[in-house]
Amino acid sequence: MAAISLGIGGRSTGFWVLFATISAASMAFVASTSLNVALPAIQVELGARGADLIWIPNSYVLVQASLIVVTGSMGDHFGRNRVCLWGILLFSLASVFCGIATTTNVIIAGRVAQGIGSSMIVPNSLAITSAYFSRRGQGWAFGVWAGFTVLMAGVAPFFAGVVTDFGMWRLIFFIHIPLGLMAAFAIIRFIPESFDKDAPRRMSFAGALLIILGLGGLSFGFIESSTFGFDSLLIIAPIVIGLLAIARFLHDERTAKHAILPLRLFRSPTFRAANLITLIFHGVIQPAVLYLPLNLIQAQGYSATFTGLATVPMILVATVVSAVVGPHLDRRGPRFILTIGLSCCALSLVVLASVGLTGGESDYFSTFFPAVFLLGIGFGMVFAPLTMAAMASAPENNAGIASGVNNTVVRTGQVLVIGILGGLAISWFGQNLKNDAYIQSLPAETQIQLAADAGDLAETAIPDTLTEDETEQVRLVIRRSFADMFSVLMSIAAVFCLLASLVAWFMIDDGELKDRRMRDIEGAP
């Protein structure tokens, strides 16, 4: 067992560990969820092109996904506090840069810098938590960490909508500054450094380049696949290059003296299972997160404000449940709670799939609310146990790289499934629209125009040659076609969540985690 440089203080130190890591991680999560709300305002004020609006969010995701394995390993090698602090500094400076930007190119450059900073913050904040609480209260700590980061990420879009409505969208960037200052103060003042003392003070430069190229190529390919299609050379080339780079990286890691990714981590059945579940869950749940607001606004006719409020119960319930289940993880292990949570998510997705087209906001509590509430329970029962399973199955000295791997799997699942299901969703919507009996009764020219614009989903343009009654009927068909497409997506997500619950039940080994904890305790300085 490699010794860990980590002093164990009293309860006050534990409080500051959670305070610092939650504040730091919230910077990255808020940046992921809040900005989309302000994109229309940014487009108007700065004259952004359509491509700019795509790259403002995507540049952040692409850079973060490319670097997060390397930066997680850097924490193990050079100190998690140190790497996290550098990430906080870079992220804060980039946020100021974005907040005072006068062109979208400046914002995109700032988002790239934010992506680098977040890749340093997220794995190392989680590794700091894991290392400090590795010998006591780990489940409780992960429950609190997961609950509050979910809360921050969920509240952020509502805050962003309010300040954007008041013409102050730049505050969305400046909100990161106080979070960063609080996190940095707590890390510097109260938290002991942690790292792998047996790890060499060097890392493989070639290995770092290979994994960055590999993850970057795959991320770019799947992110842009919905724009260019999988038959485009612009998509095929980076995916192939990415796969080749990762294959070479894994080959070299077996014999590298200064390895970035200890392949022995994957000898653990629980580590493999936790990351497989992460890939499935975060992949299939992404369509619900992405398309549910679109369904409520564009198909069901909800206002943007009501839509924001409609998802609040899910956030609040997930926050409370995450905090409640945490202590039980220390006594029972993650397998049972994780299995129940994934099953709740599957059931909630089945309910969402059955809703169809409703009468609007007045029907919310009898249609969408039960599913949203149940999804919040599921989320709360999944996030903390899944995090614990991924982190506790790795040795303490590899907490940073274990977190980096798990967060990379999260991003991979998200971009992979959105890339695949996003294209299929457009195809299903177009087929629903084309095969509708009323649409087929319209003139051929109208059908062709509707089919050509079907890529805009519920925003499909209605030809101005139609009468008022025909326009209203076509609008109803478009809304119904979107609702039907949404039902298919939710059904697919439900099946995969159920599959993930079976993986959790049969492959997560609570006994392995207990044995790992006992070995860590016996090897502790």
Side-chain angles (χ1 to χ4, degrees):
M1 161 72 189
I4 302 296
S5 175
L6 178 66
I8 301 296
R11 292 184 179 179
S12 62
T13 304
F15 166 81
W16 287 112
V17 167
L18 287 174
F19 178 85
T21 56
I22 289 170
S23 298
S26 293
M27 297 174 72
F29 294 138
V30 166
S32 296
T33 60
S34 63
L35 191 57
N36 288 348
V37 179
L39 289 180
I42 294 174
Q43 182 177 28
V44 172
E45 183 169 333
L46 302 185
R49 302 168 302 161
D52 295 334
L53 295 182
I54 293 174
W55 275 104
I56 287 173
N58 282 359
S59 58
Y60 176 85
V61 175
L62 176 61
V63 172
Q64 186 192 61
S66 303
L67 296 176
I68 206 164
V69 167
V70 172
T71 52
S73 183
M74 285 172 60
D76 291 339
H77 281 73
F78 310 122
R80 293 152 192 156
N81 289 12
R82 181 180 302 170
V83 176
C84 192
L85 282 170
W86 278 110
I88 291 170
L89 176 61
L90 178 58
F91 198 103
S92 299
L93 292 175
S95 298
V96 174
F97 197 59
C98 291
I100 63 176
T102 57
T103 68
T104 51
N105 286 336
V106 173
I107 290 183
I108 292 172
R111 291 287 284 174
V112 169
Q114 280 188 330
I116 298 172
S118 70
S119 75
M120 302 169 79
I121 291 170
V122 174
N124 288 292
S125 69
L126 191 55
I128 292 168
T129 305
S130 179
Y132 181 81
F133 290 98
S134 60
R135 293 189 286 277
R136 59 181 182 189
Q138 195 174 58
W140 172 82
F142 283 140
V144 173
W145 189 92
F148 277 96
T149 51
V150 166
L151 178 63
M152 293 295 291
V155 171
F158 180 73
F159 167 81
V162 171
V163 298
T164 299
D165 285 341
F166 281 99
M168 297 184 294
W169 58 266
R170 295 177 186 275
L171 289 179
I172 297 172
F173 295 109
F174 291 125
I175 192 63
H176 303 303
I177 307 303
L179 290 171
L181 289 174
M182 291 188 297
F185 168 76
I187 290 174
I188 294 171
R189 178 67 178 83
F190 297 105
I191 301 177
E193 181 62 280
S194 65
F195 56 88
D196 179 6
K197 282 187 173 180
D198 291 345
R201 298 301 94 186
R202 294 170 54 196
M203 289 175 56
S204 169
F205 180 73
L209 287 181
L210 282 172
I211 193 61
I212 290 170
L213 179 62
L215 294 175
L218 290 178
S219 299
F220 176 86
F222 285 114
I223 287 172
E224 292 300 304
S225 62
S226 60
T227 302
F228 297 98
F230 280 104
D231 57 348
S232 169
L233 183 61
L234 190 62
I235 300 303
I236 296 173
I239 289 178
V240 171
I241 292 172
L243 289 173
L244 292 175
I246 290 176
R248 180 55 189 263
F249 169 80
L250 294 175
H251 176 269
D252 291 351
E253 286 293 289
R254 296 175 182 173
T255 57
K257 294 181 180 179
H258 309 299
I260 292 173
L261 176 61
L263 297 181
R264 64 179 180 276
L265 290 176
F266 293 94
R267 296 174 187 167
S268 164
T270 299
F271 186 79
R272 294 197 303 268
N275 283 286
L276 175 59
I277 295 168
T278 297
L279 181 71
I280 296 172
F281 175 74
H282 284 280
V284 300
I285 214 66
Q286 194 66 10
V289 174
L290 177 64
Y291 286 103
L292 178 58
L294 293 177
N295 186 14
L296 295 179
I297 294 173
Q298 297 178 345
Q300 311 298 335
Y302 288 22
S303 67
T305 301
F306 194 94
T307 298
L309 293 174
T311 57
V312 168
M314 177 175 65
I315 299 162
L316 295 179
V317 170
T319 301
V320 173
V321 172
S322 289
V324 169
V325 303
H328 296 281
L329 299 176
D330 294 313
R331 296 193 297 269
R332 303 190 56 159
R335 185 180 72 148
F336 178 76
I337 294 175
L338 181 56
T339 302
I340 297 300
L342 289 166
S343 300
C344 283
C345 288
L347 180 59
S348 69
L349 292 167
V350 170
V351 176
L352 283 176
S354 67
V355 171
L357 202 60
T358 71
E361 295 175 358
S362 61
D363 290 344
Y364 168 72
F365 284 100
S366 62
T367 55
F368 286 98
F369 176 76
V372 168
F373 189 87
L374 187 58
L375 193 58
I377 295 175
F379 280 176
M381 298 181 73
V382 167
F383 288 145
L386 188 54
T387 302
M388 181 184 182
M391 297 298 294
S393 58
E396 284 182 31
N397 55 319
N398 295 134
I401 188 60
S403 177
V405 169
N406 191 246
N407 279 280
T408 297
V409 172
V410 171
R411 287 299 185 192
T412 301
Q414 290 173 344
V415 299
L416 176 65
V417 174
I418 287 297
I420 295 174
L421 284 186
L424 291 175
I426 293 173
S427 175
W428 292 330
F429 173 81
Q431 287 297 318
N432 290 339
L433 193 62
K434 176 183 176 182
N435 294 334
D436 184 83
Y438 183 80
I439 298 299
Q440 291 180 346
S441 70
L442 297 173
E445 296 81 2
T446 301
Q447 295 183 46
I448 293 172
Q449 186 173 343
L450 287 170
D453 294 335
D456 294 332
L457 297 175
E459 292 296 311
T460 297
I462 300 176
D464 54 15
T465 56
L466 300 179
T467 66
E468 185 175 339
D469 289 342
E470 289 173 333
T471 298
E472 220 28 63
Q473 186 63 36
V474 170
R475 183 173 290 113
L476 177 62
V477 173
I478 290 173
R479 292 171 56 209
R480 186 166 58 240
S481 297
F482 187 94
D484 291 344
M485 177 271 290
F486 179 80
S487 294
V488 174
L489 288 177
M490 295 304 100
S491 298
I492 293 173
V495 170
F496 277 92
C497 271
L498 186 59
L499 175 63
S501 71
L502 295 176
V503 173
W505 182 254
F506 289 106
M507 296 182 65
I508 296 292
D509 186 353
D510 291 334
E512 178 191 347
L513 301 185
K514 292 179 181 178
D515 292 343
R516 168 70 64 188
R517 180 178 296 182
M518 292 303 300
R519 287 197 297 271
D520 286 343
I521 292 174
E522 292 170 0

